[in-house]
Amino acid sequence: MTGVDVRGLTIRGARELLDSKQLSSVELTDAYLTRVEEIEGEVNSFVTVTSEVASQQAVFADRLISLGEQGILTGIPMQLKDNFCTKGVLTTCSSRMLENFIPPYDSHVTERLKSLGAVMVGKGNLDEFAMGSSTENSAIKPTRNPWDLDRVPGGSSGGPAAAVAASQCIFSLGSDTGGSIRQPASFCGVVGMKPTYGLVSRYGLIAFASSLDQIGPLTTDVTDSALVLSQIAGYDRRDSTSLNVKIPDYSKSLEEGLDGFRIGVPREYFTEGIAPNVEKSIREAISILEGLGAKVSETSLPHSSFALAVYYIIAPSEASANLSRYDGVKYGHSDRNAETMWEGLERTRQDGFGPEVKRRIMLGTYALSSGYYDAYYLKAQKVRTLIRGEFEEAFKEFDVLAMPTSPSTAFNLGDKTDDPLQMYLNDIFTIPANIAGIPAISVPGGFVEGLPVGLQFMSGALQEQKLFQAAYAYEQATDWHTQTPSL
Ligand code: GLN
């Protein structure tokens, strides 16, 4: 079979084609590589396209299929954000610091997907070291939004979100420290999910802020999201924060419906600053949920208002420590022309890091320095405890909380690059889930002037099933997720 139209194809759709032998994984992979080639010049969602690796993995997948040993992801073309280590394949983190870095090992999820027979078509673009909300901080190139090429795809997983929206792969994996999976998913009209902190091993994920980083899927719909999470979650001793819990098949409980399901709508997530038409879409989405039998009530999470401030102390502090390893000695960019070791170190970091990364390192170093530590870092940790407690209380009363993912739809490239604070404000509704360590998902929740809006759900720790249940019910009652950009 040739000339297969891959637009909007889901994992289940592809699975059927593969299992019924209508298509081999080699053919399916070729179809995606052709699509990538055709539109990549416009979208720029890849740092590296790995055609050769993909072709080899597709042959392996076809062998598994012919032996009847396939799993749900066998033969499925996918992408990994370029901050996941991939053995023998360039892993840049979209930074000059790592522009030539070829890891000698695979991250946990890379290894997992390989062994399941998934097919990696390439590595997705991101804001340098995952710091940003538009992918414009990538030192390689900015990615464009498939719905409107003059607009940003969001960030930092802008490459993965754009690639899934543009059907350049069936799913992608991203990392979410303050919203980096959900906000770009919302801007690109796809499903983006951040699991409970510790559910997916981060071994081999290039660290940004270790008490916040979490890995999750970007997919076309909620079922695919549940399927991918079921495959990548689970204990790994190489990540000391990995949770040793039983992983259910998240796709099994999707259809339980919303009868009597308790949904809280926190007032603080409808503040000034939210675009009126985004608010309108989300309010409409909430009434759809009510129509499906959910018990919806307004609630209040007053400490959520401090989450952004807390994040911009904790995340840069951890980043400043994590990024101290880039010293030009062990690996990565290195200035070898300096007279002294110190000068070499300074120049390496001067040239290797972009402006946003330097800003974060300076902020973090300042917040951690003696004399300021108590006033900033310690205080932020205390407020973090309050935010966490407030969510715990809320989930005694509600199964999930519903709110917008981002205060606006995708903005124009260049609109916010001169104003870091405006950029930071994009994540005001996503950051609280990272601060509290709880799972959250963004699903397509409508369109405003042709641009996707994201509806977000949060649930209590390890309550992913409830999250998927709510998201699935909403998705089935709407058709936003079936729409694809005209690329
Ligand atoms: N946009 C946020 C930041 O710049 C979140 C990034 C992320 O989740 N990796 O830090």
Side-chain angles (χ1 to χ4, degrees):
M1 190 163 149
T2 49
V4 47
D5 184 5
V6 296
R7 273 175 302 175
L9 193 60
T10 60
I11 295 174
R12 286 110 57 220
R15 185 78 270 132
E16 214 175 292
L17 292 173
L18 293 170
D19 289 351
S20 63
K21 310 269 162 40
Q22 289 177 63
L23 207 63
S24 67
S25 175
V26 167
E27 288 166 326
L28 184 66
T29 301
D30 274 349
Y32 275 94
L33 289 171
T34 307
R35 171 115 182 118
V36 170
E37 201 174 303
E38 278 167 11
I39 59 170
E40 180 56 9
E42 290 174 277
V43 188
N44 282 327
S45 51
F46 286 79
V47 173
T48 309
V49 179
T50 52
S51 316
E52 244 169 74
V53 171
S55 302
Q56 283 163 12
Q57 290 180 338
V59 170
F60 172 64
D62 281 332
R63 198 168 315 135
L64 287 177
I65 296 168
S66 71
L67 293 170
E69 288 176 8
Q70 70 271 41
I72 186 78
L73 300 182
T74 308
I76 303 294
M78 57 85 188
Q79 185 209 52
L80 294 174
K81 188 176 179 180
D82 209 22
N83 56 353
F84 291 95
C85 283
T86 42
K87 187 175 178 178
V89 174
L90 192 65
T91 300
T92 66
C93 231
S94 291
S95 177
R96 284 204 59 204
M97 191 58 95
L98 293 173
E99 68 188 340
N100 299 312
F101 175 56
I102 298 182
Y105 71 106
D106 276 328
S107 79
H108 173 76
V109 289
T110 312
E111 201 176 83
R112 205 70 227 277
L113 292 175
K114 255 188 199 172
S115 70
L116 294 167
V119 175
M120 183 174 80
V121 291
K123 306 288 299 284
N125 195 21
L126 64 148
D127 285 295
E128 183 176 6
F129 283 99
M131 298 172 188
S133 308
S134 68
T135 319
E136 291 165 295
N137 292 337
S138 166
I140 317 273
K141 58 191 171 186
T143 298
R144 289 166 183 275
N145 191 312
W147 292 92
D148 177 347
L149 296 170
D150 292 329
R151 292 176 189 264
V152 302
S156 66
S157 311
V164 173
S167 302
Q168 294 178 304
C169 57
I170 302 191
F171 74 92
S172 186
L173 292 188
S175 60
D176 190 310
T177 306
S180 274
I181 292 174
R182 291 160 285 153
Q183 184 258 12
S186 130
F187 279 17
C188 292
V190 300
V191 175
M193 198 267 165
K194 180 202 94 75
T196 302
Y197 182 75
L199 197 68
V200 180
S201 164
R202 302 164 307 167
Y203 173 75
L205 169 74
I206 296 174
F208 165 9
S210 304
S211 77
L212 301 159
D213 298 340
Q214 189 49 207
I215 293 167
L218 290 112
T219 56
T220 301
D221 65 13
V222 175
T223 309
D224 274 7
S225 182
L227 288 170
V228 175
L229 183 64
S230 305
Q231 299 296 320
I232 61 171
Y235 179 67
D236 173 30
R237 63 172 178 80
R238 297 168 299 183
D239 176 349
S240 63
T241 66
S242 177
L243 296 172
N244 201 345
V245 292
K246 201 173 166 311
I247 306 300
D249 179 345
Y250 296 108
S251 67
K252 284 280 188 303
S253 46
L254 296 176
E255 291 176 14
E256 282 175 16
L258 296 187
D259 232 4
F261 200 82
R262 300 158 307 162
I263 300 182
V265 180
R267 189 171 309 134
E268 291 75 12
Y269 292 72
F270 294 83
T271 48
E272 22 162 338
I274 179 172
N277 40 18
V278 169
E279 173 163 2
K280 189 164 165 271
S281 296
I282 300 304
R283 299 258 184 223
E284 278 166 19
I286 290 168
S287 56
I288 291 179
L289 292 162
E290 215 163 2
L292 293 169
K295 283 202 291 210
V296 177
S297 33
E298 193 177 303
T299 184
S300 173
L301 295 166
H303 289 101
S304 273
S305 325
F306 303 113
L308 188 77
V310 165
Y311 176 86
Y312 276 98
I313 298 293
I314 294 178
S317 296
E318 294 180 8
S320 74
N322 273 327
L323 271 56
S324 66
R325 73 190 64 174
Y326 302 103
D327 54 10
V329 177
K330 298 182 279 291
Y331 53 86
H333 172 71
S334 179
D335 188 311
R336 299 279 160 109
N337 302 318
E339 300 262 309
T340 67
M341 190 271 280
W342 291 113
E343 199 188 321
L345 181 85
E346 214 173 285
R347 285 213 228 153
T348 294
R349 290 171 69 83
Q350 184 71 257
D351 304 340
F353 292 135
E356 184 60 31
V357 175
K358 286 180 189 157
R359 184 176 298 124
R360 306 277 176 117
I361 292 174
M362 285 191 284
L363 275 171
T365 311
Y366 181 82
L368 291 176
S369 54
S370 73
Y372 295 107
Y373 183 93
D374 287 3
Y376 294 110
Y377 188 73
L378 195 64
K379 194 174 218 167
Q381 292 292 10
K382 287 180 178 167
V383 181
R384 183 175 191 175
T385 305
L386 293 175
I387 294 172
R388 205 185 272 263
E390 188 171 86
F391 274 110
E392 272 167 24
E393 284 305 309
F395 291 118
K396 286 182 186 156
E397 209 181 319
F398 300 107
D399 295 302
V400 299
L401 299 170
M403 63 275 272
T405 307
S406 180
S408 74
T409 53
F411 45 90
N412 282 320
L413 276 114
D415 260 10
K416 302 194 178 181
T417 37
D418 294 334
D419 190 345
L421 192 59
Q422 281 307 315
M423 196 65 99
Y424 297 171
L425 281 167
N426 265 287
D427 301 300
I428 190 155
F429 302 146
T430 47
I431 280 174
N434 302 78
I435 297 293
I438 57 175
I441 193 168
S442 176
V443 293
F447 285 86
V448 165
E449 288 157 17
L451 295 171
V453 174
L455 167 68
Q456 181 175 219
F457 294 103
M458 295 181 186
S459 74
L462 295 176
Q463 300 296 307
E464 273 76 5
Q465 276 155 304
K466 286 187 180 170
L467 207 60
F468 284 128
Q469 196 181 325
Y472 181 81
Y474 174 75
E475 181 187 82
Q476 293 307 302
T478 55
D479 69 354
W480 316 121
H481 66 291
T482 62
Q483 309 195 22
T484 48
S486 62
L487 269 178

